Amino acid sequence: IYDEKAKKWDENPYHPVGESNYSDVADYNVELTVPKNMVVAPTGSIVEEKEAEEDKELTIKAEKVRDFVILMSPNYEVNTKELDGIKISHYYLIDESNNRDKTVDKVLEEVVKTVEFMNKTVGKYPYKDLRIVETNLSGGAMEYPQVIQMGRYFNLSNINVEERAPFIIEAVVHETIHQWWYVGVGNDEYNNPFLDESLTVFTTALFFEKTYDKYHENGVSYAIRNSIYPTNMLPLNSGVDDFNDWGDYSQVIYRRGPAFFEDLRQRVGEEKFFKILQTYFEKYLFKNATIEDLLNVIGDVAGKDIKANMEKALVEPNYFPKNIKLSDEE
């Protein structure tokens, strides 16, 4: 990315701790030739498909995206649902070894619920296509523009998501919400991982709270407020190269960073809090936001005193919002 103010290119390396994605949006027009039996899940929309003797040619268009990814396999089956004019497609691998039908259905169902929640709570999903794709990825899941890359599934037929979401479900909700925080509103993940990752973790917990129950095991009270305790740690505005390892990074960005947003919600109330999220999304959609930009939105909606308190929470080490701890009754 080119920094107009500094008049130089961003040359930060891809760091082994955290993520370092950082780019402007661009338009892609891609022509892809693949074997006839290949099922393709790309960023964007497949606008044309022509078959030859052994191959097929796909024309793919994607507008205003930060990245372009293609996942494909001859072993995919696809289920699709429509919501608010958005085509949500689930690509899952054919697997004869166990009964995963309920898992496949549940993954797609939770993504649809998440998109519906985000459309109403934050702002309309800005693309026509969203794809969830099962792959042989190990160790997690990953967000890309219009594509969510998942690892292999297992049987969830005995799981009650209304009480507790297993990793597969929490991960697919998390990566769906990244379509708003990283894909929609971008940021420099090398220097400000808090902006997209901590906000996505919080919004994921908020989804489970609002969709199921205030004390859902993956909700804000259980997953964020219940884990507040004093500890020595770096400030929330730290860059990925400030952390020694994934443990330090996770403590700040995945566990304590999300508490910032619950702290803010309790200070300003739900109405102003959602107004902050909506304003931030609308103002910086297809742009790259900074921590200063987020603080300015907080100040515009909630006032300069709230902004000053939240800025202090971001820049000082050992952030500990004891005001959001669970009460004895809770």
Side-chain angles (χ1 to χ4, degrees), residues 16 91 122 156 162 212 253-254 262 264 322-323:
Y91 297 69
V122 175
L156 296 182
E162 294 186 5
Y212 294 111
I253 301 302
Y254 285 116
E262 178 60 12
L264 176 61
K322 59 183 179 182
N323 57 300

Short mmCIF file of all heavy atoms in Angstrom, two decimals, residues 16 91 122 156 162 212 253-254 262 264 322-323:
data_model
loop_
_atom_site.label_atom_id
_atom_site.label_comp_id
_atom_site.label_asym_id
_atom_site.label_seq_id
_atom_site.Cartn_x
_atom_site.Cartn_y
_atom_site.Cartn_z
N PRO A 16 5.32 -13.45 11.65
CA PRO A 16 4.92 -14.80 12.09
C PRO A 16 3.90 -14.81 13.21
O PRO A 16 3.25 -15.82 13.45
CB PRO A 16 6.24 -15.44 12.54
CG PRO A 16 7.12 -14.29 12.89
CD PRO A 16 6.75 -13.19 11.94
N TYR A 91 -19.65 -24.52 0.31
CA TYR A 91 -18.92 -25.54 -0.42
C TYR A 91 -18.34 -26.52 0.60
O TYR A 91 -17.48 -26.14 1.40
CB TYR A 91 -17.77 -24.92 -1.22
CG TYR A 91 -18.21 -23.97 -2.30
CD1 TYR A 91 -18.79 -22.74 -1.99
CD2 TYR A 91 -18.03 -24.27 -3.65
CE1 TYR A 91 -19.17 -21.84 -2.98
CE2 TYR A 91 -18.41 -23.39 -4.65
CZ TYR A 91 -18.99 -22.18 -4.30
OH TYR A 91 -19.37 -21.30 -5.29
N VAL A 122 -25.10 -3.43 12.14
CA VAL A 122 -23.95 -2.61 11.73
C VAL A 122 -24.18 -1.94 10.39
O VAL A 122 -23.98 -0.73 10.25
CB VAL A 122 -22.67 -3.48 11.68
CG1 VAL A 122 -21.50 -2.68 11.13
CG2 VAL A 122 -22.34 -4.02 13.07
N LEU A 156 -21.52 -32.69 14.26
CA LEU A 156 -22.08 -31.83 15.31
C LEU A 156 -23.52 -32.19 15.66
O LEU A 156 -24.23 -31.39 16.24
CB LEU A 156 -22.04 -30.36 14.85
CG LEU A 156 -20.67 -29.73 14.61
CD1 LEU A 156 -20.84 -28.27 14.20
CD2 LEU A 156 -19.79 -29.83 15.84
N GLU A 162 -27.60 -23.52 20.83
CA GLU A 162 -28.29 -22.51 21.64
C GLU A 162 -27.67 -22.36 23.02
O GLU A 162 -27.88 -21.37 23.70
CB GLU A 162 -29.77 -22.86 21.76
CG GLU A 162 -30.52 -22.77 20.44
CD GLU A 162 -32.01 -22.99 20.59
OE1 GLU A 162 -32.46 -23.11 21.76
OE2 GLU A 162 -32.71 -23.02 19.57
N TYR A 212 -29.01 -15.75 20.97
CA TYR A 212 -29.42 -16.86 21.82
C TYR A 212 -29.74 -16.44 23.25
O TYR A 212 -30.88 -16.51 23.67
CB TYR A 212 -28.34 -17.95 21.78
CG TYR A 212 -28.22 -18.59 20.43
CD1 TYR A 212 -27.10 -18.38 19.64
CD2 TYR A 212 -29.25 -19.35 19.91
CE1 TYR A 212 -27.00 -18.96 18.37
CE2 TYR A 212 -29.18 -19.92 18.64
CZ TYR A 212 -28.04 -19.72 17.88
OH TYR A 212 -27.96 -20.27 16.63
N ILE A 253 -4.89 -9.12 22.14
CA ILE A 253 -5.77 -8.89 20.99
C ILE A 253 -7.05 -9.72 21.05
O ILE A 253 -8.14 -9.23 20.74
CB ILE A 253 -5.01 -9.15 19.68
CG1 ILE A 253 -3.80 -8.23 19.57
CG2 ILE A 253 -5.94 -8.96 18.49
CD1 ILE A 253 -4.11 -6.75 19.65
N TYR A 254 -6.95 -10.99 21.45
CA TYR A 254 -8.12 -11.87 21.47
C TYR A 254 -8.88 -11.85 22.79
O TYR A 254 -10.10 -12.05 22.80
CB TYR A 254 -7.72 -13.32 21.17
CG TYR A 254 -7.39 -13.57 19.71
CD1 TYR A 254 -6.12 -13.93 19.32
CD2 TYR A 254 -8.38 -13.48 18.74
CE1 TYR A 254 -5.82 -14.18 17.98
CE2 TYR A 254 -8.10 -13.72 17.41
CZ TYR A 254 -6.82 -14.06 17.04
OH TYR A 254 -6.53 -14.30 15.71
N GLU A 262 -16.87 -3.78 25.20
CA GLU A 262 -17.90 -3.94 26.23
C GLU A 262 -17.81 -2.79 27.24
O GLU A 262 -18.84 -2.29 27.70
CB GLU A 262 -17.73 -5.28 26.95
CG GLU A 262 -18.73 -5.50 28.08
CD GLU A 262 -20.18 -5.48 27.65
OE1 GLU A 262 -20.48 -5.51 26.44
OE2 GLU A 262 -21.05 -5.42 28.54
N LEU A 264 -16.89 0.23 26.48
CA LEU A 264 -17.52 1.34 25.77
C LEU A 264 -19.03 1.20 25.79
O LEU A 264 -19.76 2.18 26.03
CB LEU A 264 -17.00 1.37 24.33
CG LEU A 264 -17.61 2.42 23.40
CD1 LEU A 264 -17.35 3.83 23.90
CD2 LEU A 264 -17.07 2.25 21.97
N LYS A 322 -12.35 -2.95 35.21
CA LYS A 322 -13.02 -3.69 36.29
C LYS A 322 -14.52 -3.38 36.36
O LYS A 322 -15.28 -4.15 36.95
CB LYS A 322 -12.35 -3.41 37.64
CG LYS A 322 -12.34 -1.95 38.06
CD LYS A 322 -11.58 -1.79 39.38
CE LYS A 322 -11.53 -0.33 39.82
NZ LYS A 322 -10.77 -0.16 41.07
N ASN A 323 -14.93 -2.27 35.75
CA ASN A 323 -16.35 -1.92 35.75
C ASN A 323 -17.21 -2.90 34.97
O ASN A 323 -18.44 -2.93 35.14
CB ASN A 323 -16.55 -0.51 35.16
CG ASN A 323 -15.99 -0.38 33.75
OD1 ASN A 323 -14.80 -0.57 33.54
ND2 ASN A 323 -16.83 -0.05 32.79
#
